[in-house]
Amino acid sequence: MDLVKKINDLADLLLESGKTMVLTGAGISTESGIPDFRGPDGLWSKVDPMYVFHAETFIYRPEVFYEAGMPLMGPLQAAQPNAAHRVIADLEEAGLVWGVVTQNVDGLHQKAGSKNVFEMHGHLRSATCLKCRHVIPWDRLAEMVAAGEIPPRHQDCGGVFKPDAVFFGDPLPPDFYDCCREVSESDLLVVVGSSLEVSPVNYLPQLCKRLAIVNMGPTMADYRAVLKVDAKAGEAFTELKRVLQERGVRLSGSAV
Ligand code: NAD
């Protein structure tokens, strides 16, 4: 089935749905220049994320993250949203999407204009002292690391600063349970750019009434999807915007 037919089917699903949630993963941001985990140029080919980004590694050897993981964070800070992020923000503004649950820490949905964003794996806007919970902005953390303070410590209490991203083995933020409720109350969940291998976020597709997936390659929930679009997210959402506009849906926001 060609892309245009599939995107028309996705438009049907969106227009029929009373409430739609979107669940995104690293794949939505590859077209913004950020490598995913499991793709061919993925982070997995450079470091072992399960070690470098593991909560236990951070507790016992925080320098591992600051030496091997922190240098990989630069591109995430500099990246700009792509067509998929922008169209999802336009769909929220038009009332066709209620909110976005993201596994990404890159903040690109907010940069694109999405308002209802649940960041399941935290973000890179700040870091928190593990001893006294003092919070500093990311730029301050980056300055300390660039000055050779590894691991960076809070000068008052000596505690180590940890980025406000969720590491493997960390608990999820409490709003994971709000997301479970929002998804189970939705008529449609659209997964974009995730292999759905990371739990417990990959539990969300089990909760929705209808599931559509836009992903290059297989995912763990393909068997449940009423529609699978195997295409680049940017291409698929550019086409979705065109199809919806052709059907008279007013989508404002930034041009794709
Ligand atoms: P993943 O790497 O396991 O899966 C990404 C999927 O997206 C793959 O199936 C890949 O083939 C597909 N993909 C790649 N480019 C695509 C594109 N342009 N269009 C459509 N599909 C595309 O990612 P995941 O499921 O999100 O799990 C990885 C974990 O890594 C997450 O927990 C996330 O927090 C973290 N992570 C985040 C970022 C980020 O913030 N941008 C980057 C890397 C990893």
Side-chain angles (χ1 to χ4, degrees):
M1 210 189 288
D2 70 358
L3 182 67
V4 177
K5 165 79 178 92
K6 291 228 170 187
I7 296 300
N8 269 284
D9 292 348
L10 181 57
D12 288 341
L13 288 172
L14 274 168
L15 293 170
E16 283 163 16
S17 166
K19 177 172 178 177
T20 297
M21 295 288 290
V22 174
L23 168 62
T24 65
I28 194 175
S29 296
T30 57
E31 289 165 77
S32 293
I34 302 173
D36 59 9
F37 267 4
R38 294 174 181 81
D41 297 320
L43 289 178
W44 221 283
S45 63
K46 300 182 175 63
V47 295
D48 177 356
M50 292 286 278
Y51 178 64
V52 173
F53 304 111
H54 202 287
E56 206 169 299
T57 311
F58 195 91
I59 295 295
Y60 294 108
R61 296 192 60 206
E63 68 279 6
V64 170
F65 167 77
Y66 283 108
E67 283 162 2
M70 185 90 170
L72 302 172
M73 301 296 116
L76 277 77
Q77 297 283 335
Q80 292 304 316
N82 63 53
H85 298 103
R86 291 198 299 268
V87 174
I88 290 168
D90 293 349
L91 292 173
E92 182 182 339
E93 200 191 3
L96 288 175
V97 160
W98 190 87
V100 182
V101 182
T102 187
Q103 301 170 78
N104 296 341
V105 294
D106 54 34
L108 290 181
H109 287 295
Q110 290 93 330
K111 275 192 191 171
S114 287
K115 302 280 185 297
N116 262 346
V117 183
F118 297 88
E119 294 175 308
M120 286 300 96
H121 294 166
H123 55 80
L124 300 178
R125 293 185 288 277
S126 54
T128 298
C129 169
L130 291 180
K131 203 165 173 186
C132 72
R133 312 307 297 167
H134 179 71
V135 176
I136 57 169
W138 186 270
D139 290 352
R140 177 69 195 121
L141 184 78
E143 257 171 42
M144 292 166 86
V145 173
E149 287 181 54
I150 292 181
R153 291 180 183 277
H154 186 204
Q155 62 178 19
D156 292 356
C157 74
V160 172
F161 283 111
K162 179 174 180 288
D164 288 332
V166 174
F167 283 39
F168 289 105
D170 274 333
L172 285 195
D175 60 1
F176 176 62
Y177 301 99
D178 296 334
C179 288
C180 292
R181 195 191 57 242
E182 298 301 347
V183 170
S184 57
E185 285 173 4
S186 297
D187 300 313
L188 176 67
L189 176 69
V190 183
V191 170
V192 188
S194 175
S195 62
L196 296 174
E197 287 192 27
V198 176
S199 66
V201 170
N202 62 359
Y203 172 61
L204 293 174
Q206 308 301 323
L207 300 178
C208 63
K209 297 188 183 77
R210 286 172 124 182
L211 174 67
I213 298 177
V214 180
N215 194 64
M216 269 164 52
T219 83
M220 301 293 271
D222 286 354
Y223 71 95
R224 273 212 86 217
V226 294
L227 177 69
K228 170 77 191 284
V229 184
D230 199 321
K232 282 189 167 183
E235 203 179 316
F237 278 84
T238 302
E239 183 60 14
L240 178 65
K241 183 168 184 170
R242 190 191 67 73
V243 166
L244 287 169
Q245 284 176 326
E246 209 172 71
R247 295 196 196 180
V249 176
R250 292 170 79 89
L251 289 174
S252 57
S254 44
V256 171

